[in-house]
Amino acid sequence: MRFRELTADVVIVGAGIAGLRAALAASGRGASVLLVSKGAAASPAVIGFNAPVACGDSAELFFRDTCVGGGGLNDRELARLLTGQAVEVLREFEGLGFSFDREDAAYDLLQPLGCSCPRLVHQSNHTGSASMALMREELSRRQVKEYAGVTALDLLLTRQRVCGLLAAAPLQDELWVISAGAVVLANGGGSGIYADSTYPDGIVGDGYGMAYRAGASLLDMEFVQFEPCRCLWPRKLGISTTLLAKGGELRNRLDERFILKRYPGGEGTVSKDMLARLIALEIKAGNGSEHGGVYLDLRMLPEKVLKRDHSMYYERFLRAGIDLTTERIEVAPAAHTFMGGVKIDAGCACGVPGLFAAGEVTGGIHGANRLGGNAGTEIYVFGKIAGASAAEYVQRNGQASIPDQERRMIAERFGHLQDGDASAVIQNAKALIRNTMGMYAGAVRSADGLAQAGRIIQELATEFKNYQAVSVRELTQLSELQNMILTAELVVAAAERRRESRGVHYREDFPTRDDRHWCKSIIITPGAAGHEMTAVARDGENSAEGSRAATTCQRGS
Ligand SMILES: Cc1cc2nc3c(=O)[nH]c(=O)nc-3n(C[C@H](O)[C@H](O)[C@H](O)COP(=O)(O)OP(=O)(O)OC[C@H]3O[C@@H](n4cnc5c(N)ncnc54)[C@H](O)[C@@H]3O)c2cc1C
């Protein structure tokens, strides 16, 4: 194992859209920037983002929709920034030559669930990947280095200020000690702590762990969104719930369309959260399909709906040997976006000097649930703010150097690492967390289930507290595992504490919303005696709701 030393004004962890935007903003302010990422990001999957450009739409209406969608728990200041700066992002990208789909002169806007008018701007269905390519071109022109395959392990601190980052490059068998004036966390969310997730495997809550260990607070960790229908049999593949609106049917093992008991209008009339909940309840009641989901039957759809209008899914399944026009599949809810995360202020500062964060790793913007398309807006808007704030912080405060004592400690702690693979016990522990979270802390929760999850996670925390990694590869895996344990622990603790149902958090034992006691966000702060939880009152959505329903919008230019 070799140590490698690097220096930059601003180090950015994560090369999704939030990280790339931060890198551009920081380098645009003259900072030297270094970007590390360990692997795949969710951002290339972004179809589009919300921007209020339809006739009749406005930042105000967008703000109201966002607060209503968030069950009134949104951090209003952050939600204002999100909704107020979305159009600027659109214009900025157009200025760089990026084209959004139009029909005649007007934008071709889609209307995500929860938006009171069409609002999602997009370039076909690859806005995320195309905009990332554009940003990478610009970064490479500016000679900003992006190091892929490098996992950030922990922040380095001197006198409570961030002074750098410890990272691992397992393929090179190297440990990197990076001096930095400021660090931006853009690690994405944590849905990889669940057995079934729509996200890349490596998105497991590393940013939550890093920020929390450095002293930052996390909030709204109980709010995890679930995509209702991810195919689990015959192959694990994504499929769109919009096919239910076209007439697709969900059936249980008794061949009943169980959704009709609650929603006689059919599957297509049910919101995604409710759909995920009803499917999870049906499975829990023992009425699931052979492989633990429910059946999704699309065979009754006219062929053109699948083969022409939804050809992406039709072909994806066909490539996997499944013909959706003749076969039904088994689907179940899968973990999707984390609403909670690192607590930030309007400048993306995390309360630890020199530490900034943006994107899904942060919490508060979306409250208890996010509108479809709002994660896209978030990562473009806040990535830029975080990068700019970090660069300004370094201009004001200068570089911080890693103390010699810290360097000696790193050498002593890790100098013995040999070349080698990670032990299977770490993989087994990860699998146990994923199964536990899926079983007890998924779309349907209860006090008993959460307590059981808490016990299993505590046992794992104890087992791996003093585990000594023997190689860089194992250290990387161990770091992920410890972040998964912490993330799972905090999701479960917050879900236990919130004794009501709101947004994407559903408690079987407290099935209704309780504004009297719970119009609050749960904030978790690392304390001397463990996790300190406080609940801060939020404004609710009533004052933000206004004339939402009465407004009509049209496609706009
Ligand atoms: C299939 C799918 C479709 C979606 N569609 C939409 C949509 O149309 N509109 C919308 O608004 N939202 C959508 N979302 C949600 C959206 O994609 C995410 O919320 C958003 O992309 C998160 O961006 P990010 O930059 O914060 O993180 P990510 O894009 O997830 O990037 C995180 C980065 O951090 C890196 N990383 C993580 N930990 C470490 C570490 N320890 N060290 C180094 N690097 C690390 C990862 O490798 C990655 O590069 C979708 C999500 C999925 C999965």
Side-chain angles (χ1 to χ4, degrees), residues 516-551:
R516 209 167 129 234
H517 299 102
W518 278 110
C519 195
K520 292 172 180 163
S521 274
I522 297 173
I523 299 180
I524 313 178
T525 305
H531 310 309
E532 287 173 6
M533 280 201 204
T534 48
V536 292
R538 293 294 195 197
D539 296 323
E541 69 272 69
N542 290 342
S543 56
E545 198 161 13
S547 57
R548 174 182 184 242
T551 313

Side-chain angles (χ1 to χ4, degrees), residues 14-15 17-18 38-40 42-43 46-48 150 152 187-188 199 206 360 373 375-376 379:
I17 289 171
K38 70 174 180 182
S43 292
V46 167
I47 293 168
V150 176
N187 311 49
Y199 277 56
D206 288 351
E360 201 176 324
I379 50 189

Side-chain angles (χ1 to χ4, degrees), residues 239-283:
I239 180 119
S240 172
T241 42
T242 52
L243 287 159
L244 294 174
K246 306 282 173 175
E249 295 175 359
L250 291 169
R251 291 180 182 271
N252 62 16
R253 72 179 172 84
L254 306 168
D255 209 30
E256 294 165 342
R257 282 179 74 188
F258 57 95
I259 299 288
L260 300 186
K261 289 181 215 156
R262 287 276 301 273
Y263 292 90
E267 292 85 342
T269 63
V270 189
S271 73
K272 277 193 181 188
D273 313 319
M274 183 54 76
L275 212 48
R277 192 171 301 165
L278 294 177
I279 294 171
L281 284 167
E282 197 66 13
I283 297 168

Side-chain angles (χ1 to χ4, degrees), residues 1 3 410-419 468-471:
M1 191 276 294
F3 281 107
I410 292 171
E412 272 166 32
R413 223 176 124 198
F414 302 112
H416 67 280
L417 296 179
Q418 310 276 321
D419 193 10
Q468 293 292 328
V470 296
S471 66

